[in-house]
PDB file of all heavy atoms in Angstrom:
ATOM      1  N   LEU O   1      13.924   4.448  -2.609  1.00 88.00           N
ATOM      2  CA  LEU O   1      14.950   5.272  -1.978  1.00 88.00           C
ATOM      3  C   LEU O   1      15.344   4.724  -0.613  1.00 88.00           C
ATOM      4  O   LEU O   1      16.524   4.706  -0.266  1.00 88.00           O
ATOM      5  CB  LEU O   1      14.466   6.720  -1.861  1.00 88.00           C
ATOM      6  CG  LEU O   1      14.302   7.477  -3.175  1.00 88.00           C
ATOM      7  CD1 LEU O   1      13.641   8.829  -2.935  1.00 88.00           C
ATOM      8  CD2 LEU O   1      15.632   7.642  -3.877  1.00 88.00           C
ATOM      9  N   ASP O   2      14.357   4.266   0.154  1.00 86.00           N
ATOM     10  CA  ASP O   2      14.643   3.653   1.454  1.00 86.00           C
ATOM     11  C   ASP O   2      15.526   2.422   1.283  1.00 86.00           C
ATOM     12  O   ASP O   2      16.498   2.228   2.006  1.00 86.00           O
ATOM     13  CB  ASP O   2      13.354   3.258   2.180  1.00 86.00           C
ATOM     14  CG  ASP O   2      12.587   4.446   2.731  1.00 86.00           C
ATOM     15  OD1 ASP O   2      13.155   5.561   2.766  1.00 86.00           O
ATOM     16  OD2 ASP O   2      11.414   4.260   3.109  1.00 86.00           O
ATOM     17  N   MET O   3      15.170   1.590   0.314  1.00 84.00           N
ATOM     18  CA  MET O   3      15.923   0.374   0.080  1.00 84.00           C
ATOM     19  C   MET O   3      17.349   0.705  -0.358  1.00 84.00           C
ATOM     20  O   MET O   3      18.307   0.090   0.120  1.00 84.00           O
ATOM     21  CB  MET O   3      15.241  -0.494  -0.985  1.00 84.00           C
ATOM     22  CG  MET O   3      15.918  -1.836  -1.148  1.00 84.00           C
ATOM     23  SD  MET O   3      14.996  -3.048  -2.116  1.00 84.00           S
ATOM     24  CE  MET O   3      14.682  -2.196  -3.631  1.00 84.00           C
ATOM     25  N   ASP O   4      17.507   1.680  -1.232  1.00 84.00           N
ATOM     26  CA  ASP O   4      18.848   2.086  -1.662  1.00 84.00           C
ATOM     27  C   ASP O   4      19.682   2.564  -0.484  1.00 84.00           C
ATOM     28  O   ASP O   4      20.860   2.226  -0.367  1.00 84.00           O
ATOM     29  CB  ASP O   4      18.769   3.195  -2.719  1.00 84.00           C
ATOM     30  CG  ASP O   4      18.278   2.711  -4.060  1.00 84.00           C
ATOM     31  OD1 ASP O   4      18.189   1.475  -4.261  1.00 84.00           O
ATOM     32  OD2 ASP O   4      17.983   3.569  -4.915  1.00 84.00           O
ATOM     33  N   SER O   5      19.071   3.349   0.394  1.00 85.00           N
ATOM     34  CA  SER O   5      19.778   3.861   1.569  1.00 85.00           C
ATOM     35  C   SER O   5      20.175   2.732   2.511  1.00 85.00           C
ATOM     36  O   SER O   5      21.321   2.669   2.987  1.00 85.00           O
ATOM     37  CB  SER O   5      18.888   4.862   2.299  1.00 85.00           C
ATOM     38  OG  SER O   5      19.509   5.299   3.481  1.00 85.00           O
ATOM     39  N   ILE O   6      19.256   1.840   2.767  1.00 81.00           N
ATOM     40  CA  ILE O   6      19.540   0.709   3.662  1.00 81.00           C
ATOM     41  C   ILE O   6      20.610  -0.181   3.055  1.00 81.00           C
ATOM     42  O   ILE O   6      21.532  -0.636   3.753  1.00 81.00           O
ATOM     43  CB  ILE O   6      18.246  -0.076   3.960  1.00 81.00           C
ATOM     44  CG1 ILE O   6      17.305   0.785   4.807  1.00 81.00           C
ATOM     45  CG2 ILE O   6      18.557  -1.385   4.669  1.00 81.00           C
ATOM     46  CD1 ILE O   6      15.906   0.229   4.928  1.00 81.00           C
ATOM     47  N   MET O   7      20.509  -0.426   1.754  1.00 76.00           N
ATOM     48  CA  MET O   7      21.515  -1.262   1.077  1.00 76.00           C
ATOM     49  C   MET O   7      22.901  -0.634   1.166  1.00 76.00           C
ATOM     50  O   MET O   7      23.885  -1.319   1.424  1.00 76.00           O
ATOM     51  CB  MET O   7      21.143  -1.478  -0.394  1.00 76.00           C
ATOM     52  CG  MET O   7      20.059  -2.491  -0.622  1.00 76.00           C
ATOM     53  SD  MET O   7      20.492  -4.138  -0.069  1.00 76.00           S
ATOM     54  CE  MET O   7      21.902  -4.485  -1.097  1.00 76.00           C
ATOM     55  N   ALA O   8      22.966   0.675   0.961  1.00 78.00           N
ATOM     56  CA  ALA O   8      24.254   1.362   1.036  1.00 78.00           C
ATOM     57  C   ALA O   8      24.847   1.215   2.434  1.00 78.00           C
ATOM     58  O   ALA O   8      26.041   0.935   2.574  1.00 78.00           O
ATOM     59  CB  ALA O   8      24.090   2.834   0.673  1.00 78.00           C
ATOM     60  N   ASN O   9      24.015   1.367   3.458  1.00 75.00           N
ATOM     61  CA  ASN O   9      24.493   1.213   4.828  1.00 75.00           C
ATOM     62  C   ASN O   9      24.902  -0.222   5.124  1.00 75.00           C
ATOM     63  O   ASN O   9      25.918  -0.463   5.778  1.00 75.00           O
ATOM     64  CB  ASN O   9      23.432   1.670   5.832  1.00 75.00           C
ATOM     65  CG  ASN O   9      23.286   3.166   5.864  1.00 75.00           C
ATOM     66  OD1 ASN O   9      24.201   3.901   5.521  1.00 75.00           O
ATOM     67  ND2 ASN O   9      22.107   3.634   6.247  1.00 75.00           N
ATOM     68  N   ALA O  10      24.099  -1.185   4.647  1.00 69.00           N
ATOM     69  CA  ALA O  10      24.412  -2.587   4.890  1.00 69.00           C
ATOM     70  C   ALA O  10      25.717  -2.985   4.218  1.00 69.00           C
ATOM     71  O   ALA O  10      26.543  -3.684   4.808  1.00 69.00           O
ATOM     72  CB  ALA O  10      23.268  -3.473   4.408  1.00 69.00           C
ATOM     73  N   LYS O  11      25.918  -2.535   2.993  1.00 68.00           N
ATOM     74  CA  LYS O  11      27.170  -2.845   2.295  1.00 68.00           C
ATOM     75  C   LYS O  11      28.350  -2.196   2.979  1.00 68.00           C
ATOM     76  O   LYS O  11      29.418  -2.781   3.095  1.00 68.00           O
ATOM     77  CB  LYS O  11      27.082  -2.398   0.834  1.00 68.00           C
ATOM     78  CG  LYS O  11      26.207  -3.292  -0.004  1.00 68.00           C
ATOM     79  CD  LYS O  11      26.159  -2.809  -1.435  1.00 68.00           C
ATOM     80  CE  LYS O  11      25.258  -3.691  -2.258  1.00 68.00           C
ATOM     81  NZ  LYS O  11      25.155  -3.230  -3.643  1.00 68.00           N
ATOM     82  N   LYS O  12      28.150  -0.967   3.428  1.00 67.00           N
ATOM     83  CA  LYS O  12      29.220  -0.233   4.098  1.00 67.00           C
ATOM     84  C   LYS O  12      29.614  -0.937   5.389  1.00 67.00           C
ATOM     85  O   LYS O  12      30.789  -1.109   5.692  1.00 67.00           O
ATOM     86  CB  LYS O  12      28.754   1.194   4.386  1.00 67.00           C
ATOM     87  CG  LYS O  12      29.810   2.081   4.990  1.00 67.00           C
ATOM     88  CD  LYS O  12      29.267   3.484   5.188  1.00 67.00           C
ATOM     89  CE  LYS O  12      30.299   4.376   5.841  1.00 67.00           C
ATOM     90  NZ  LYS O  12      29.760   5.717   6.092  1.00 67.00           N
ATOM     91  N   GLU O  13      28.639  -1.325   6.162  1.00 65.00           N
ATOM     92  CA  GLU O  13      28.899  -1.986   7.441  1.00 65.00           C
ATOM     93  C   GLU O  13      29.349  -3.427   7.244  1.00 65.00           C
ATOM     94  O   GLU O  13      30.159  -3.921   8.002  1.00 65.00           O
ATOM     95  CB  GLU O  13      27.644  -1.941   8.316  1.00 65.00           C
ATOM     96  CG  GLU O  13      27.223  -0.545   8.710  1.00 65.00           C
ATOM     97  CD  GLU O  13      28.223   0.125   9.629  1.00 65.00           C
ATOM     98  OE1 GLU O  13      28.835  -0.559  10.457  1.00 65.00           O
ATOM     99  OE2 GLU O  13      28.388   1.351   9.489  1.00 65.00           O
ATOM    100  N   GLY O  14      28.762  -4.086   6.245  1.00 65.00           N
ATOM    101  CA  GLY O  14      29.147  -5.467   5.957  1.00 65.00           C
ATOM    102  C   GLY O  14      28.820  -6.431   7.082  1.00 65.00           C
ATOM    103  O   GLY O  14      29.489  -7.426   7.277  1.00 65.00           O
ATOM    104  N   ARG O  15      27.788  -6.166   7.837  1.00 67.00           N
ATOM    105  CA  ARG O  15      27.447  -7.009   8.977  1.00 67.00           C
ATOM    106  C   ARG O  15      26.198  -7.827   8.698  1.00 67.00           C
ATOM    107  O   ARG O  15      25.286  -7.387   8.022  1.00 67.00           O
ATOM    108  CB  ARG O  15      27.169  -6.146  10.212  1.00 67.00           C
ATOM    109  CG  ARG O  15      28.375  -5.511  10.780  1.00 67.00           C
ATOM    110  CD  ARG O  15      28.013  -5.011  12.152  1.00 67.00           C
ATOM    111  NE  ARG O  15      28.647  -3.723  12.350  1.00 67.00           N
ATOM    112  CZ  ARG O  15      28.140  -2.750  13.021  1.00 67.00           C
ATOM    113  NH1 ARG O  15      26.958  -2.855  13.563  1.00 67.00           N
ATOM    114  NH2 ARG O  15      28.805  -1.631  13.166  1.00 67.00           N
ATOM    115  N   ALA O  16      26.130  -8.992   9.305  1.00 69.00           N
ATOM    116  CA  ALA O  16      24.947  -9.848   9.176  1.00 69.00           C
ATOM    117  C   ALA O  16      23.729  -9.170   9.789  1.00 69.00           C
ATOM    118  O   ALA O  16      22.618  -9.302   9.279  1.00 69.00           O
ATOM    119  CB  ALA O  16      25.199 -11.192   9.839  1.00 69.00           C
ATOM    120  N   GLU O  17      23.929  -8.416  10.882  1.00 74.00           N
ATOM    121  CA  GLU O  17      22.808  -7.734  11.520  1.00 74.00           C
ATOM    122  C   GLU O  17      22.175  -6.729  10.563  1.00 74.00           C
ATOM    123  O   GLU O  17      20.959  -6.575  10.524  1.00 74.00           O
ATOM    124  CB  GLU O  17      23.236  -6.990  12.800  1.00 74.00           C
ATOM    125  CG  GLU O  17      23.868  -7.865  13.843  1.00 74.00           C
ATOM    126  CD  GLU O  17      25.373  -7.920  13.709  1.00 74.00           C
ATOM    127  OE1 GLU O  17      26.010  -6.896  13.405  1.00 74.00           O
ATOM    128  OE2 GLU O  17      25.927  -9.005  13.898  1.00 74.00           O
ATOM    129  N   GLN O  18      23.009  -6.034   9.813  1.00 71.00           N
ATOM    130  CA  GLN O  18      22.495  -5.058   8.854  1.00 71.00           C
ATOM    131  C   GLN O  18      21.696  -5.770   7.767  1.00 71.00           C
ATOM    132  O   GLN O  18      20.649  -5.287   7.345  1.00 71.00           O
ATOM    133  CB  GLN O  18      23.644  -4.257   8.217  1.00 71.00           C
ATOM    134  CG  GLN O  18      24.301  -3.288   9.160  1.00 71.00           C
ATOM    135  CD  GLN O  18      23.420  -2.079   9.443  1.00 71.00           C
ATOM    136  OE1 GLN O  18      22.469  -1.801   8.739  1.00 71.00           O
ATOM    137  NE2 GLN O  18      23.745  -1.363  10.498  1.00 71.00           N
ATOM    138  N   SER O  19      22.191  -6.912   7.321  1.00 75.00           N
ATOM    139  CA  SER O  19      21.475  -7.660   6.289  1.00 75.00           C
ATOM    140  C   SER O  19      20.140  -8.154   6.810  1.00 75.00           C
ATOM    141  O   SER O  19      19.126  -8.103   6.113  1.00 75.00           O
ATOM    142  CB  SER O  19      22.327  -8.845   5.820  1.00 75.00           C
ATOM    143  OG  SER O  19      23.482  -8.373   5.172  1.00 75.00           O
ATOM    144  N   LEU O  20      20.125  -8.625   8.050  1.00 77.00           N
ATOM    145  CA  LEU O  20      18.882  -9.084   8.644  1.00 77.00           C
ATOM    146  C   LEU O  20      17.918  -7.922   8.840  1.00 77.00           C
ATOM    147  O   LEU O  20      16.716  -8.035   8.577  1.00 77.00           O
ATOM    148  CB  LEU O  20      19.166  -9.779   9.977  1.00 77.00           C
ATOM    149  CG  LEU O  20      18.017 -10.558  10.597  1.00 77.00           C
ATOM    150  CD1 LEU O  20      17.448 -11.588   9.620  1.00 77.00           C
ATOM    151  CD2 LEU O  20      18.462 -11.232  11.873  1.00 77.00           C
ATOM    152  N   PHE O  21      18.431  -6.778   9.281  1.00 79.00           N
ATOM    153  CA  PHE O  21      17.604  -5.583   9.426  1.00 79.00           C
ATOM    154  C   PHE O  21      16.993  -5.201   8.086  1.00 79.00           C
ATOM    155  O   PHE O  21      15.809  -4.894   7.982  1.00 79.00           O
ATOM    156  CB  PHE O  21      18.438  -4.424   9.985  1.00 79.00           C
ATOM    157  CG  PHE O  21      17.716  -3.112   9.975  1.00 79.00           C
ATOM    158  CD1 PHE O  21      16.761  -2.819  10.934  1.00 79.00           C
ATOM    159  CD2 PHE O  21      17.981  -2.167   8.991  1.00 79.00           C
ATOM    160  CE1 PHE O  21      16.075  -1.612  10.925  1.00 79.00           C
ATOM    161  CE2 PHE O  21      17.307  -0.959   8.969  1.00 79.00           C
ATOM    162  CZ  PHE O  21      16.359  -0.682   9.934  1.00 79.00           C
ATOM    163  N   LEU O  22      17.806  -5.228   7.053  1.00 77.00           N
ATOM    164  CA  LEU O  22      17.323  -4.903   5.713  1.00 77.00           C
ATOM    165  C   LEU O  22      16.235  -5.867   5.288  1.00 77.00           C
ATOM    166  O   LEU O  22      15.190  -5.449   4.780  1.00 77.00           O
ATOM    167  CB  LEU O  22      18.483  -4.935   4.714  1.00 77.00           C
ATOM    168  CG  LEU O  22      18.119  -4.829   3.239  1.00 77.00           C
ATOM    169  CD1 LEU O  22      17.415  -3.515   2.958  1.00 77.00           C
ATOM    170  CD2 LEU O  22      19.353  -4.954   2.376  1.00 77.00           C
ATOM    171  N   LEU O  23      16.458  -7.141   5.507  1.00 80.00           N
ATOM    172  CA  LEU O  23      15.462  -8.137   5.132  1.00 80.00           C
ATOM    173  C   LEU O  23      14.146  -7.877   5.855  1.00 80.00           C
ATOM    174  O   LEU O  23      13.074  -7.904   5.241  1.00 80.00           O
ATOM    175  CB  LEU O  23      15.968  -9.544   5.447  1.00 80.00           C
ATOM    176  CG  LEU O  23      14.981 -10.679   5.167  1.00 80.00           C
ATOM    177  CD1 LEU O  23      14.611 -10.707   3.684  1.00 80.00           C
ATOM    178  CD2 LEU O  23      15.559 -11.997   5.623  1.00 80.00           C
ATOM    179  N   LYS O  24      14.199  -7.597   7.147  1.00 82.00           N
ATOM    180  CA  LYS O  24      12.980  -7.324   7.909  1.00 82.00           C
ATOM    181  C   LYS O  24      12.274  -6.088   7.364  1.00 82.00           C
ATOM    182  O   LYS O  24      11.053  -6.049   7.246  1.00 82.00           O
ATOM    183  CB  LYS O  24      13.319  -7.151   9.390  1.00 82.00           C
ATOM    184  CG  LYS O  24      13.694  -8.458  10.046  1.00 82.00           C
ATOM    185  CD  LYS O  24      14.103  -8.248  11.490  1.00 82.00           C
ATOM    186  CE  LYS O  24      14.518  -9.563  12.117  1.00 82.00           C
ATOM    187  NZ  LYS O  24      14.934  -9.414  13.509  1.00 82.00           N
ATOM    188  N   LYS O  25      13.034  -5.072   7.020  1.00 80.00           N
ATOM    189  CA  LYS O  25      12.459  -3.852   6.451  1.00 80.00           C
ATOM    190  C   LYS O  25      11.771  -4.165   5.115  1.00 80.00           C
ATOM    191  O   LYS O  25      10.662  -3.713   4.854  1.00 80.00           O
ATOM    192  CB  LYS O  25      13.562  -2.808   6.268  1.00 80.00           C
ATOM    193  CG  LYS O  25      13.138  -1.557   5.570  1.00 80.00           C
ATOM    194  CD  LYS O  25      12.421  -0.609   6.485  1.00 80.00           C
ATOM    195  CE  LYS O  25      12.215   0.715   5.758  1.00 80.00           C
ATOM    196  NZ  LYS O  25      11.092   1.438   6.233  1.00 80.00           N
ATOM    197  N   LEU O  26      12.443  -4.938   4.270  1.00 79.00           N
ATOM    198  CA  LEU O  26      11.880  -5.276   2.966  1.00 79.00           C
ATOM    199  C   LEU O  26      10.610  -6.110   3.111  1.00 79.00           C
ATOM    200  O   LEU O  26       9.633  -5.918   2.381  1.00 79.00           O
ATOM    201  CB  LEU O  26      12.905  -6.016   2.113  1.00 79.00           C
ATOM    202  CG  LEU O  26      14.100  -5.192   1.638  1.00 79.00           C
ATOM    203  CD1 LEU O  26      15.126  -6.090   0.974  1.00 79.00           C
ATOM    204  CD2 LEU O  26      13.661  -4.095   0.696  1.00 79.00           C
ATOM    205  N   LEU O  27      10.618  -7.052   4.061  1.00 79.00           N
ATOM    206  CA  LEU O  27       9.447  -7.901   4.250  1.00 79.00           C
ATOM    207  C   LEU O  27       8.264  -7.134   4.836  1.00 79.00           C
ATOM    208  O   LEU O  27       7.118  -7.496   4.624  1.00 79.00           O
ATOM    209  CB  LEU O  27       9.790  -9.090   5.143  1.00 79.00           C
ATOM    210  CG  LEU O  27      10.666 -10.167   4.492  1.00 79.00           C
ATOM    211  CD1 LEU O  27      11.096 -11.190   5.529  1.00 79.00           C
ATOM    212  CD2 LEU O  27       9.966 -10.833   3.325  1.00 79.00           C
ATOM    213  N   SER O  28       8.543  -6.065   5.566  1.00 79.00           N
ATOM    214  CA  SER O  28       7.456  -5.290   6.168  1.00 79.00           C
ATOM    215  C   SER O  28       6.856  -4.272   5.208  1.00 79.00           C
ATOM    216  O   SER O  28       5.797  -3.725   5.461  1.00 79.00           O
ATOM    217  CB  SER O  28       7.952  -4.570   7.433  1.00 79.00           C
ATOM    218  OG  SER O  28       8.847  -3.535   7.081  1.00 79.00           O
ATOM    219  N   ASP O  29       7.512  -4.007   4.103  1.00 75.00           N
ATOM    220  CA  ASP O  29       7.047  -3.016   3.144  1.00 75.00           C
ATOM    221  C   ASP O  29       6.131  -3.685   2.129  1.00 75.00           C
ATOM    222  O   ASP O  29       6.488  -4.684   1.528  1.00 75.00           O
ATOM    223  CB  ASP O  29       8.248  -2.372   2.452  1.00 75.00           C
ATOM    224  CG  ASP O  29       7.836  -1.192   1.621  1.00 75.00           C
ATOM    225  OD1 ASP O  29       7.270  -1.413   0.536  1.00 75.00           O
ATOM    226  OD2 ASP O  29       8.081  -0.057   2.045  1.00 75.00           O
ATOM    227  N   ALA O  30       4.938  -3.132   1.931  1.00 65.00           N
ATOM    228  CA  ALA O  30       3.955  -3.720   1.020  1.00 65.00           C
ATOM    229  C   ALA O  30       4.470  -3.817  -0.410  1.00 65.00           C
ATOM    230  O   ALA O  30       4.156  -4.762  -1.123  1.00 65.00           O
ATOM    231  CB  ALA O  30       2.665  -2.907   1.049  1.00 65.00           C
ATOM    232  N   VAL O  31       5.254  -2.862  -0.828  1.00 65.00           N
ATOM    233  CA  VAL O  31       5.737  -2.837  -2.208  1.00 65.00           C
ATOM    234  C   VAL O  31       6.776  -3.921  -2.450  1.00 65.00           C
ATOM    235  O   VAL O  31       6.798  -4.572  -3.485  1.00 65.00           O
ATOM    236  CB  VAL O  31       6.324  -1.450  -2.561  1.00 65.00           C
ATOM    237  CG1 VAL O  31       6.925  -1.449  -3.942  1.00 65.00           C
ATOM    238  CG2 VAL O  31       5.254  -0.385  -2.440  1.00 65.00           C
ATOM    239  N   THR O  32       7.656  -4.156  -1.460  1.00 70.00           N
ATOM    240  CA  THR O  32       8.757  -5.094  -1.669  1.00 70.00           C
ATOM    241  C   THR O  32       8.511  -6.472  -1.069  1.00 70.00           C
ATOM    242  O   THR O  32       9.284  -7.383  -1.306  1.00 70.00           O
ATOM    243  CB  THR O  32      10.058  -4.529  -1.082  1.00 70.00           C
ATOM    244  OG1 THR O  32       9.848  -4.236   0.303  1.00 70.00           O
ATOM    245  CG2 THR O  32      10.504  -3.292  -1.819  1.00 70.00           C
ATOM    246  N   SER O  33       7.420  -6.648  -0.310  1.00 72.00           N
ATOM    247  CA  SER O  33       7.176  -7.933   0.329  1.00 72.00           C
ATOM    248  C   SER O  33       6.896  -9.053  -0.680  1.00 72.00           C
ATOM    249  O   SER O  33       7.036 -10.220  -0.353  1.00 72.00           O
ATOM    250  CB  SER O  33       6.026  -7.828   1.331  1.00 72.00           C
ATOM    251  OG  SER O  33       4.833  -7.495   0.662  1.00 72.00           O
ATOM    252  N   ALA O  34       6.535  -8.700  -1.883  1.00 76.00           N
ATOM    253  CA  ALA O  34       6.240  -9.707  -2.907  1.00 76.00           C
ATOM    254  C   ALA O  34       7.492 -10.213  -3.621  1.00 76.00           C
ATOM    255  O   ALA O  34       7.404 -11.092  -4.462  1.00 76.00           O
ATOM    256  CB  ALA O  34       5.263  -9.131  -3.930  1.00 76.00           C
ATOM    257  N   LEU O  35       8.661  -9.682  -3.269  1.00 80.00           N
ATOM    258  CA  LEU O  35       9.890 -10.136  -3.918  1.00 80.00           C
ATOM    259  C   LEU O  35      10.159 -11.596  -3.574  1.00 80.00           C
ATOM    260  O   LEU O  35       9.849 -12.060  -2.471  1.00 80.00           O
ATOM    261  CB  LEU O  35      11.078  -9.280  -3.474  1.00 80.00           C
ATOM    262  CG  LEU O  35      11.073  -7.816  -3.915  1.00 80.00           C
ATOM    263  CD1 LEU O  35      12.247  -7.082  -3.289  1.00 80.00           C
ATOM    264  CD2 LEU O  35      11.132  -7.705  -5.423  1.00 80.00           C
ATOM    265  N   SER O  36      10.766 -12.311  -4.489  1.00 86.00           N
ATOM    266  CA  SER O  36      11.082 -13.722  -4.258  1.00 86.00           C
ATOM    267  C   SER O  36      12.202 -13.848  -3.228  1.00 86.00           C
ATOM    268  O   SER O  36      12.969 -12.900  -2.992  1.00 86.00           O
ATOM    269  CB  SER O  36      11.523 -14.383  -5.564  1.00 86.00           C
ATOM    270  OG  SER O  36      12.783 -13.863  -5.952  1.00 86.00           O
ATOM    271  N   ASN O  37      12.315 -15.030  -2.650  1.00 88.00           N
ATOM    272  CA  ASN O  37      13.401 -15.284  -1.698  1.00 88.00           C
ATOM    273  C   ASN O  37      14.761 -15.105  -2.368  1.00 88.00           C
ATOM    274  O   ASN O  37      15.694 -14.591  -1.763  1.00 88.00           O
ATOM    275  CB  ASN O  37      13.280 -16.691  -1.112  1.00 88.00           C
ATOM    276  CG  ASN O  37      12.128 -16.815  -0.141  1.00 88.00           C
ATOM    277  OD1 ASN O  37      11.486 -15.822   0.207  1.00 88.00           O
ATOM    278  ND2 ASN O  37      11.848 -18.025   0.300  1.00 88.00           N
ATOM    279  N   ALA O  38      14.857 -15.509  -3.621  1.00 89.00           N
ATOM    280  CA  ALA O  38      16.134 -15.372  -4.342  1.00 89.00           C
ATOM    281  C   ALA O  38      16.506 -13.903  -4.498  1.00 89.00           C
ATOM    282  O   ALA O  38      17.664 -13.525  -4.290  1.00 89.00           O
ATOM    283  CB  ALA O  38      16.033 -16.043  -5.712  1.00 89.00           C
ATOM    284  N   ARG O  39      15.539 -13.076  -4.853  1.00 85.00           N
ATOM    285  CA  ARG O  39      15.816 -11.641  -5.038  1.00 85.00           C
ATOM    286  C   ARG O  39      16.160 -10.987  -3.705  1.00 85.00           C
ATOM    287  O   ARG O  39      17.083 -10.176  -3.628  1.00 85.00           O
ATOM    288  CB  ARG O  39      14.611 -10.945  -5.674  1.00 85.00           C
ATOM    289  CG  ARG O  39      14.804  -9.464  -5.923  1.00 85.00           C
ATOM    290  CD  ARG O  39      15.852  -9.210  -6.992  1.00 85.00           C
ATOM    291  NE  ARG O  39      15.942  -7.784  -7.233  1.00 85.00           N
ATOM    292  CZ  ARG O  39      17.064  -7.115  -7.332  1.00 85.00           C
ATOM    293  NH1 ARG O  39      18.215  -7.730  -7.274  1.00 85.00           N
ATOM    294  NH2 ARG O  39      17.056  -5.826  -7.537  1.00 85.00           N
ATOM    295  N   LEU O  40      15.441 -11.351  -2.645  1.00 85.00           N
ATOM    296  CA  LEU O  40      15.743 -10.806  -1.322  1.00 85.00           C
ATOM    297  C   LEU O  40      17.131 -11.238  -0.863  1.00 85.00           C
ATOM    298  O   LEU O  40      17.867 -10.459  -0.265  1.00 85.00           O
ATOM    299  CB  LEU O  40      14.678 -11.226  -0.312  1.00 85.00           C
ATOM    300  CG  LEU O  40      13.315 -10.558  -0.479  1.00 85.00           C
ATOM    301  CD1 LEU O  40      12.277 -11.230   0.404  1.00 85.00           C
ATOM    302  CD2 LEU O  40      13.402  -9.069  -0.171  1.00 85.00           C
ATOM    303  N   ALA O  41      17.497 -12.478  -1.149  1.00 86.00           N
ATOM    304  CA  ALA O  41      18.840 -12.952  -0.795  1.00 86.00           C
ATOM    305  C   ALA O  41      19.894 -12.155  -1.543  1.00 86.00           C
ATOM    306  O   ALA O  41      20.912 -11.750  -0.974  1.00 86.00           O
ATOM    307  CB  ALA O  41      18.963 -14.444  -1.114  1.00 86.00           C
ATOM    308  N   GLU O  42      19.634 -11.895  -2.796  1.00 85.00           N
ATOM    309  CA  GLU O  42      20.561 -11.097  -3.605  1.00 85.00           C
ATOM    310  C   GLU O  42      20.706  -9.683  -3.050  1.00 85.00           C
ATOM    311  O   GLU O  42      21.811  -9.149  -2.955  1.00 85.00           O
ATOM    312  CB  GLU O  42      20.050 -11.054  -5.045  1.00 85.00           C
ATOM    313  CG  GLU O  42      20.912 -10.252  -5.992  1.00 85.00           C
ATOM    314  CD  GLU O  42      20.267 -10.176  -7.372  1.00 85.00           C
ATOM    315  OE1 GLU O  42      19.670 -11.165  -7.819  1.00 85.00           O
ATOM    316  OE2 GLU O  42      20.369  -9.115  -8.000  1.00 85.00           O
ATOM    317  N   LEU O  43      19.596  -9.078  -2.662  1.00 81.00           N
ATOM    318  CA  LEU O  43      19.624  -7.706  -2.159  1.00 81.00           C
ATOM    319  C   LEU O  43      20.289  -7.587  -0.792  1.00 81.00           C
ATOM    320  O   LEU O  43      20.935  -6.585  -0.503  1.00 81.00           O
ATOM    321  CB  LEU O  43      18.198  -7.142  -2.075  1.00 81.00           C
ATOM    322  CG  LEU O  43      17.498  -6.857  -3.383  1.00 81.00           C
ATOM    323  CD1 LEU O  43      16.033  -6.528  -3.143  1.00 81.00           C
ATOM    324  CD2 LEU O  43      18.191  -5.718  -4.124  1.00 81.00           C
ATOM    325  N   THR O  44      20.104  -8.601   0.042  1.00 81.00           N
ATOM    326  CA  THR O  44      20.589  -8.507   1.418  1.00 81.00           C
ATOM    327  C   THR O  44      21.941  -9.166   1.652  1.00 81.00           C
ATOM    328  O   THR O  44      22.596  -8.889   2.643  1.00 81.00           O
ATOM    329  CB  THR O  44      19.578  -9.150   2.389  1.00 81.00           C
ATOM    330  OG1 THR O  44      19.424 -10.536   2.042  1.00 81.00           O
ATOM    331  CG2 THR O  44      18.249  -8.435   2.353  1.00 81.00           C
ATOM    332  N   GLY O  45      22.329 -10.062   0.766  1.00 82.00           N
ATOM    333  CA  GLY O  45      23.575 -10.793   0.979  1.00 82.00           C
ATOM    334  C   GLY O  45      23.382 -12.019   1.858  1.00 82.00           C
ATOM    335  O   GLY O  45      24.341 -12.707   2.193  1.00 82.00           O
ATOM    336  N   LEU O  46      22.156 -12.292   2.259  1.00 84.00           N
ATOM    337  CA  LEU O  46      21.847 -13.485   3.035  1.00 84.00           C
ATOM    338  C   LEU O  46      21.630 -14.654   2.084  1.00 84.00           C
ATOM    339  O   LEU O  46      21.510 -14.475   0.871  1.00 84.00           O
ATOM    340  CB  LEU O  46      20.589 -13.257   3.874  1.00 84.00           C
ATOM    341  CG  LEU O  46      20.661 -12.154   4.929  1.00 84.00           C
ATOM    342  CD1 LEU O  46      19.278 -11.868   5.489  1.00 84.00           C
ATOM    343  CD2 LEU O  46      21.622 -12.526   6.040  1.00 84.00           C
TER     344      LEU O  46
END
């Protein structure tokens, strides 16, 4: 749910800062930190 909310905000804002913020949030979360770089790039737009 957190990721969905952050993604919605990042897409809405369309800013690189939002994508970087999202990436940092995902990397700090134990559940999502195991995602591959490709999947994280897909989720964040980076």
Side-chain angles (χ1 to χ4, degrees):
L1 292 172
D2 287 348
M3 186 168 55
D4 288 349
S5 176
I6 292 168
M7 283 298 298
N9 287 336
K11 286 180 181 178
K12 184 178 178 183
E13 296 294 325
R15 289 194 220 146
E17 302 92 39
Q18 289 287 344
S19 294
L20 192 55
F21 172 78
L22 171 61
L23 177 61
K24 288 177 182 179
K25 174 80 171 153
L26 291 172
L27 287 172
S28 70
D29 189 285
V31 175
T32 56
S33 63
L35 293 175
S36 69
N37 288 353
R39 181 67 177 134
L40 289 170
E42 180 184 322
L43 290 171
T44 61
L46 298 169

